[in-house]
Amino acid sequence: MRGLQPASPRPSPARQFLCYLAASLSLAAAEAAAGPAVELVFGDPEAPTAVRVSASGSESMPVPGSTPLGSLWKVFVHVYLSAGARSVADYRCTGGDPGEESYCCAPGESIGRDEALAKSCGLYFKPRRLGVSAAAWRAWWTRQAPGAPAWLLDLDKLQPATEVSVASLLAALVAIDGEHRRTTMAALQRVSLEPRARPLLSHLGNGLRVKTWSWHDGKGRRIGGFAGWLSDGTPVWLRGSGSSAQVIEQAAPWLAGRLPQTTPPDEACVRVRFFSRYPLAEVLVDGRPAAEGPLRGRVEARFVNSRRLLFASSGELGLSRSGGRPVITGRVGLNDYVARVIQREAGAEPPAAARALAVAARTYLVRHAGHGGGCYEIDDDSRAQRVSPAPPESANLRVAEWSDGLVLSGVAGRYHQTRRAPQQLAWQAAVAGAAEGARWDEILERAYGGAGFSVAGDADAGECQPLASAENWLAGRQAGWKRRLAGIPGFEAPVPLPRVCRLEHGNPYADIERGRIYATGIGSANERLTLAHEYLHFALANHPRGRDEDFVEETARSLLGTP
């Protein structure tokens, strides 16, 4: 046994103080490097989850008592306007208030409701400009959101400095009618595309529908964060030290994994013609010849080349016949479609590469698909995108939902398994980039250069670049077309005429909701035929024949005398 060692000499009080000071400074330096924690609250307002999140992890905390509204008041005005409670003109920037207008537009330009919310243009939402009275505001919110807190009913309380409880803010977000909430949530998707909030997109994908906010606390210190909803409508609020941009830049990497990945509604639809290059000989369901109509059960597709393929269908796929041959088509949600492309082309691993591919695949669809009956229309084709007929595995669906609605702007979204090319993603290169630690957006930046991001519904329908020559051409022919088409059931001459906007990528189409036709021009006979075709979709919008592509095309050719 070892003998007892002599006791170490006791350090002097001065040395003890120096050691304490050094330890304190080291701890302070470590905390400064990590940055201050942020407060995150989300979920049911009656029993929300509240956590303090920092670089070192997260810990439960009580729900904070109060928060200033900051610029969150604009969310509630947007809801009010979107619900049709008030019609209002765009805000036009004059240059008279350069500080505030820097959040809106350049002098001489205008900004609309959705863009104003994403950019936090307070001048757009001022109640006095909108002509909103306190009585009308109270009456509408009392009727539409009976569970809303009292402060929301008082228009005078819609001020940045107004202090409200965090629980009541979550309650106000939940109380908004589902339909009205979806409209504002759609507008808020653009927030993560703004430079000040871009780290949210990089680290969390497109799962947030939030408005950033900044103000100061009772001691004059800058605070900020965001509030709104997760993609499934779950309310969320975040606060930290600094402006909203500073808080987001600091906290976005920490939030990955702290917020649940929710399932967004998959409302946009895609019609797919499967096996477009491989003729089918026979289709069986559960071992028996399949009847025309929805396919439900275990499907066996037998091809003319003697190959066979087994997959399941729950009615999203259907069987019809063309020229005596069986044809399988599907109608699926947009995220479901993207997940099926990932399943067929690559897979869900590694996550960064799969997320990059999901954005590329969604972009390719938006740029190249046709449109009919409110759906994108595209073939399952190796010359375009291959699509799995089997339901997507959960891992592939989660990848698609993580980037919900996100597309690249200014590019066609082309990709290849192995081949690198300008403006084209190579899957093997994406995998290699992920192995090196690259994020999904960094992988896309390498493949597509300076391409930005947008939301699928706005990919070609944001700012309309008018084709004046095409609009004039339509206007000059409408009177004659009205006389010739008057006897067709369901024909209604569109008033006003749809705007014709320049299409940069993909197939021309009619956006009836926005009153726009996206086309390439009128320089060729084919371009003029396309414009007449899309015009007829407007003229027959309220009749089933407007969705009959063969009839529309035949009628357009008749109008122009094209064989």
Side-chain angles (χ1 to χ4, degrees), residues 11 29 71 142 198 209 275 307 318 344 501:
S71 57
T142 301
R198 175 61 189 276
R209 312 286 186 263
F275 319 120
R307 292 190 176 183
R344 181 67 179 82
C501 307

Side-chain angles (χ1 to χ4, degrees), residues 4-236:
L4 294 174
Q5 300 295 315
S8 300
R10 184 176 181 84
S12 68
R15 183 175 178 83
Q16 285 182 311
F17 173 76
L18 290 174
C19 290
Y20 171 78
L21 180 61
S24 299
L25 291 173
S26 297
L27 180 60
E31 289 178 347
V38 295
E39 300 166 310
L40 174 67
V41 184
F42 61 92
D44 182 355
E46 298 294 326
T49 298
V51 291
R52 183 175 288 104
V53 184
S54 67
S56 59
S58 61
E59 59 179 355
S60 297
M61 59 173 283
V63 176
S66 65
T67 178
L69 280 179
S71 57
L72 298 178
W73 63 272
K74 300 165 193 172
V75 172
F76 301 103
V77 179
H78 185 279
V79 171
Y80 179 82
L81 298 176
S82 300
R86 187 81 181 177
S87 178
V88 62
D90 290 353
Y91 177 81
R92 185 170 182 81
C93 291
T94 63
D97 190 348
E100 285 296 315
E101 286 189 353
S102 64
Y103 293 95
C104 304
C105 45
E109 296 181 352
S110 299
I111 189 169
R113 183 181 63 225
D114 290 355
E115 188 181 7
L117 184 63
K119 289 188 172 183
S120 202
C121 174
L123 295 172
Y124 179 98
F125 293 105
K126 281 193 171 182
R128 179 176 296 179
R129 183 187 91 87
L130 301 174
V132 180
S133 71
W137 176 270
R138 176 179 292 275
W140 189 85
W141 281 102
T142 301
R143 182 173 65 254
Q144 295 292 334
W151 57 261
L152 181 55
L153 308 182
D154 187 347
L155 187 60
D156 291 338
K157 293 285 182 66
L158 270 289
Q159 301 286 341
T162 297
E163 290 277 336
V164 302
S165 72
V166 173
S168 75
L169 177 59
L170 296 184
L173 294 169
V174 168
I176 297 169
D177 174 82
E179 181 179 350
H180 302 155
R181 187 191 314 156
R182 282 191 294 273
T183 302
T184 297
M185 286 174 65
L188 288 172
Q189 285 196 78
R190 298 171 177 83
V191 170
S192 295
L193 309 182
E194 293 290 319
R196 68 182 183 278
R198 175 61 189 276
L200 293 176
L201 189 69
S202 297
H203 293 280
L204 301 174
N206 203 31
L208 291 174
R209 312 286 186 263
V210 295
K211 172 76 183 72
T212 56
W213 66 273
S214 298
W215 200 240
H216 48 76
D217 64 13
K219 298 181 179 179
R221 295 173 297 197
R222 193 74 162 164
I223 56 174
F226 61 72
W229 300 273
L230 306 183
S231 62
D232 67 345
T234 299
V236 60

